[in-house]
Amino acid sequence: MKAFVKMVVAVMVGLFATMICCACLFTCAVVGSLASSQKEVATSAPGDVMFLKINSEVTEIPVESPFAALMGEDGNPLSLRGYLNAIAIAKQDDNIVGIYLNTDGMAASPATVEALRDALADFRSSGKWIISYNDSYSLGQYYLASVANSVYVNTIGSVSLDGLTSVLPYPKALLDKMGIDMQIFRVGTFKSAVEPYMIEHMSEANRLQTMTYLQSIWNQMASDIAESRGMDVDKINALANEAVSYMKDDELAQTGLVDGMLYKSDVEKIILEKTGKSKLKGISAKDLVESGYDTYFPQDEAKKIAVLYASGEINDDGQSSTSLDEGGIYPGATIKEIRAIAEDDAVKAVVFRVNSPGGSAFASEQIWKALADLKEKKPLVVSM
């Protein structure tokens, strides 16, 4: 009995302590949020560099965190559109002389990286420069960085240029051992989503389609890298077969993939020489967007173009969901927003931005009908 009482008391004390900790964290978050909302908006100054740090997943929709103030500047990183806006502003801003790019920790799909890369290429067309530095580069990070005028990596860093892979587990044998018999209905040779439950290895049809899309993406990446670095595509393909990421320092420096293997402080000295300043000064991409977007891209409130995001898996919520911030595409919330846009006279056209692996056919049908109704009232453009 005494042991039971002790256990109950211990649990209650633990719960009480947890509640206190949560309350403290919540209070800190609220205070931090208020403080950040009241901070003075930074503006660019002559000779500034834009610090473009992309150190987390690049999402379609901004991810708001109540603890952002506790996490520093990147607590609420920019979305893809935010980064693109920042690069566009930096191109137009006469105070900005160049971009200092860092992508350590960046995660993004090939299509997202290509969009960022195209924006940086457009920035360079203005005559301004880009310098990239990473401790190490993954393939996606290097693909983006290769568009820069100069690409540097840490003295003991690496560049991953090993090509693309696709890995798919096949649990058929395991299911057989567990006595689980999958009942599958499939139409079409290339409908491979259920294949792992039917056979124990990749079919030739699935291998063909996987190789086809991977080769298409790689060809684009290799071609872009070769053009930016002044190399032949054959050389890029050869390097991909040589396990560049395992090369010694002197070998990597001789490949032509990087302009030097330096410490971060040495790269910053190079930037100081380009700016003619004694101290590295600049403005972050986030601050530049918050301070300059309306100035360089003024909006006519009477002639708006609405951008509606549909990001994540398409879920059948029975029309009950009313929020667009639930980690997926829900017909209830999406249709509600589509109808509101349709009725807004200030919105003259709509861009429907889709980034989804698919999902419920029923939910998709309902969203399609709402979009078809919208199309009768104003121009509709789909971006995927």
Side-chain angles (χ1 to χ4, degrees):
M1 184 65 180
K2 290 182 179 180
F4 175 75
V5 173
K6 289 181 179 179
M7 184 184 299
V8 172
V9 172
V11 171
M12 293 179 65
V13 171
L15 289 173
F16 181 74
T18 301
M19 292 173 63
I20 294 296
C21 290
C22 290
C24 290
L25 287 173
F26 179 76
T27 301
C28 291
V30 171
V31 172
S33 179
L34 290 174
S36 63
S37 65
Q38 296 174 357
K39 74 175 183 178
E40 185 176 345
V41 176
T43 57
S44 63
D48 267 356
V49 172
M50 184 179 83
F51 300 113
L52 183 56
K53 295 183 179 181
I54 311 178
N55 306 134
S56 59
E57 181 182 3
V58 183
T59 60
E60 286 286 338
I61 303 174
V63 179
E64 298 294 335
S65 169
F67 301 103
L70 303 178
M71 299 168 62
E73 179 184 350
D74 294 329
N76 284 333
L78 293 173
S79 64
L80 172 60
R81 174 49 52 191
Y83 287 120
L84 297 179
N85 286 343
I87 296 169
I89 295 170
K91 177 186 176 183
Q92 300 292 330
D93 192 336
D94 293 334
N95 288 333
I96 304 297
V97 297
I99 289 178
Y100 182 15
L101 174 67
N102 176 264
T103 57
D104 280 312
M106 183 191 80
S109 69
T112 296
V113 176
E114 187 176 23
L116 291 168
R117 198 177 191 281
D118 288 345
L120 289 174
D122 181 62
F123 173 86
R124 277 194 60 180
S125 70
S126 66
K128 300 182 180 183
W129 50 262
I130 303 172
I131 290 180
S132 175
Y133 170 81
N134 269 31
D135 290 333
S136 290
Y137 289 98
S138 68
L139 176 58
Q141 292 164 8
Y142 180 75
Y143 176 50
L144 179 59
S146 65
V147 76
N149 298 78
S150 301
V151 180
Y152 298 104
V153 67
N154 190 276
T155 55
I156 56 173
S158 62
V159 174
S160 178
L161 194 76
D162 303 330
L164 299 172
T165 61
S166 179
V167 179
L168 184 65
Y170 281 74
K172 176 67 166 59
L174 174 62
L175 295 175
D176 289 344
K177 290 181 179 180
M178 297 173 65
I180 299 175
D181 183 23
M182 302 294 290
Q183 301 296 317
I184 299 170
F185 298 89
R186 185 179 72 158
V187 178
T189 305
F190 293 95
K191 300 293 285 186
S192 59
V194 295
E195 181 180 280
Y197 307 105
M198 300 170 56
I199 55 179
E200 298 180 11
H201 53 81
M202 182 177 285
S203 68
E204 289 306 313
N206 193 16
R207 186 179 301 278
L208 173 61
Q209 67 179 356
T210 302
M211 285 295 297
T212 298
Y213 82 75
L214 287 180
Q215 192 64 57
S216 174
I217 296 172
W218 171 253
N219 288 344
Q220 181 70 48
M221 296 176 73
S223 176
D224 290 342
I225 292 172
E227 181 179 358
S228 295
R229 298 300 301 172
M231 303 166 67
D232 293 331
V233 174
D234 290 342
K235 177 66 179 297
I236 298 298
N237 286 321
L239 289 172
N241 291 326
E242 293 180 15
V244 173
S245 57
Y246 295 101
M247 283 185 173
K248 296 180 180 179
D249 300 350
D250 54 343
E251 293 177 318
L252 177 59
Q254 294 172 9
T255 61
L257 295 175
V258 296
D259 295 287
M261 302 189 70
L262 306 173
Y263 290 106
K264 183 178 181 180
S265 56
D266 294 326
V267 175
E268 291 178 350
K269 289 179 182 178
I270 293 175
I271 296 176
L272 288 177
E273 292 176 1
K274 293 185 72 67
T275 60
K277 294 187 176 183
S278 58
K279 186 177 181 181
L280 188 61
K281 294 182 179 179
I283 183 171
S284 71
K286 190 171 185 178
D287 284 342
L288 192 61
V289 170
E290 293 176 351
S291 65
Y293 186 79
D294 291 337
T295 300
Y296 290 97
F297 302 97
Q299 305 294 304
D300 185 345
E301 288 299 318
K303 297 181 180 180
K304 294 188 293 186
I305 296 177
V307 180
L308 178 60
Y309 290 91
S311 182
E313 185 177 351
I314 305 170
N315 299 280
D316 181 8
D317 63 353
Q319 307 293 314
S320 61
S321 178
T322 57
S323 173
L324 288 175
D325 302 321
E326 299 187 33
I329 304 170
Y330 294 83
T334 306
I335 292 172
K336 179 181 179 182
E337 194 68 22
I338 292 172
R339 289 174 177 169
I341 292 173
E343 298 301 323
D344 188 342
D345 293 334
V347 175
K348 303 304 180 183
V350 181
V351 175
F352 189 49
R353 174 68 174 176
V354 183
N355 185 3
S356 172
S360 168
F362 178 84
S364 300
E365 176 77 9
Q366 312 317 306
I367 296 172
W368 171 85
K369 178 59 170 66
L371 289 171
D373 293 341
L374 170 68
K375 185 180 175 183
E376 294 180 358
K377 295 185 176 182
K378 52 195 67 177
L380 172 65
V381 176
V382 176
S383 170
M384 303 192 69

